[in-house]
Amino acid sequence: MKLQLALDLVNIPEGISVVREVEAYVDVVEIGTPVVINEGLRAVKEMKEAFPNLTVLADLKIMDAGGYEVMKASEAGAGIVTVLGATDDSTIKGAVEEARKHGSEILVDMINVKDIEQRAKEVDALGVDYICVHTGYDLQAAGENSFEQLRTIKRVVKNAKTAVAGGIKLETLPEVIQAQPDLVIVGGGITGKDDKKAVAQEMQRLIKEAVTV
């Protein structure tokens, strides 16, 4: 089980500064979609150069031209690239094929997929590396979370690893850990705290503790 830090509302220098605080306690750094929109793939490149030992995820939320966009993100240093589960199978296949060439991985984000169980089975058969249940900002505001969806995909996914994102905080982390995802994605639950290092350290401790039990 790994901990991923999602950076969404920062520029490149701010992002690097945040990661410097918590780098000892996170495994993956996510360059969030807003950062990619504002800064481009340069944000991925500069983050990877600053922290060569961390995996950098490019949250491109690919919906079309899967092969091309994965190629560009991988060239920039992304170890993981996101594709939307709502897209066509051919887009996911193209993304997977390109990722294999570069030694990078594909995470399929199931945000707004209506039949999570059925689509997870289909996506799992396409050779992706991660399937992620994700409650977006707008639904979080309405009080939804991803924990039940995580349990659903854990039942049906046979090959891919599982990930969970959306509103995870230190207080809710134990509930997430119980469902045993392979990747726990935390954004504001770390970046919104005054003592980011202490929160990340405690999250990593809880994760490691769960793995060794």
Side-chain angles (χ1 to χ4, degrees):
M1 200 184 303
K2 292 182 176 178
L3 180 59
Q4 175 172 314
L5 173 69
L7 298 173
D8 284 318
L9 303 174
V10 293
N11 57 35
I12 295 170
E14 287 168 351
I16 288 172
S17 173
V18 169
V19 176
R20 197 159 278 135
E21 281 186 66
V22 301
E23 66 173 306
Y25 307 108
V26 301
D27 305 290
V28 182
V29 178
E30 171 187 331
I31 304 299
T33 315
V35 181
V36 175
I37 288 170
N38 290 332
E39 304 273 8
L41 286 171
R42 188 168 60 91
V44 173
K45 186 172 186 291
E46 293 193 22
M47 188 62 71
K48 186 63 183 175
E49 286 171 353
F51 303 99
N53 295 328
L54 293 178
T55 299
V56 178
L57 178 144
D59 189 19
L60 301 190
K61 293 190 172 76
I62 294 168
M63 196 69 178
D64 191 18
Y68 177 78
E69 295 193 6
V70 168
M71 175 183 73
K72 299 312 285 184
S74 299
E75 286 173 355
I80 308 173
V81 187
T82 67
V83 180
L84 291 181
T87 193
D88 192 77
D89 285 3
S90 59
T91 299
I92 297 175
K93 284 178 188 169
V96 168
E97 285 171 18
E98 193 63 33
R100 296 288 174 269
K101 295 177 193 171
H102 294 273
S104 49
E105 295 183 305
I106 297 299
L107 180 146
V108 170
D109 186 335
M110 302 291 276
I111 191 169
N112 213 31
V113 168
K114 297 307 177 203
D115 187 341
I116 286 267
E117 187 168 339
Q118 179 58 32
R119 189 58 178 146
K121 288 180 192 171
E122 294 165 358
V123 168
D124 192 33
L126 298 175
V128 306
D129 301 284
Y130 290 93
I131 298 175
C132 177
V133 291
H134 182 186
T135 302
Y137 282 122
D138 299 336
L139 283 176
Q140 286 175 45
E144 292 199 26
N145 69 50
S146 313
F147 311 149
E148 199 49 55
Q149 291 181 339
L150 175 59
R151 283 189 272 272
T152 299
I153 66 164
K154 286 288 288 188
R155 282 200 308 273
V156 299
V157 169
K158 301 283 190 286
N159 306 306
K161 290 172 273 196
T162 56
V164 59
I168 298 169
K169 304 186 282 289
L170 187 55
E171 304 80 61
T172 57
L173 184 61
E175 185 182 356
V176 175
I177 288 171
Q178 279 182 346
Q180 291 289 298
D182 298 289
L183 189 59
V184 179
I185 302 168
V186 181
I190 292 174
T191 60
K193 302 299 180 185
D194 291 333
D195 192 342
K196 299 171 185 56
K197 181 179 176 181
V199 175
Q201 184 175 12
E202 180 62 10
M203 285 186 165
Q204 188 65 264
R205 187 189 70 77
L206 289 170
I207 287 169
K208 282 201 162 72
E209 198 174 73
V211 172
T212 54
V213 168

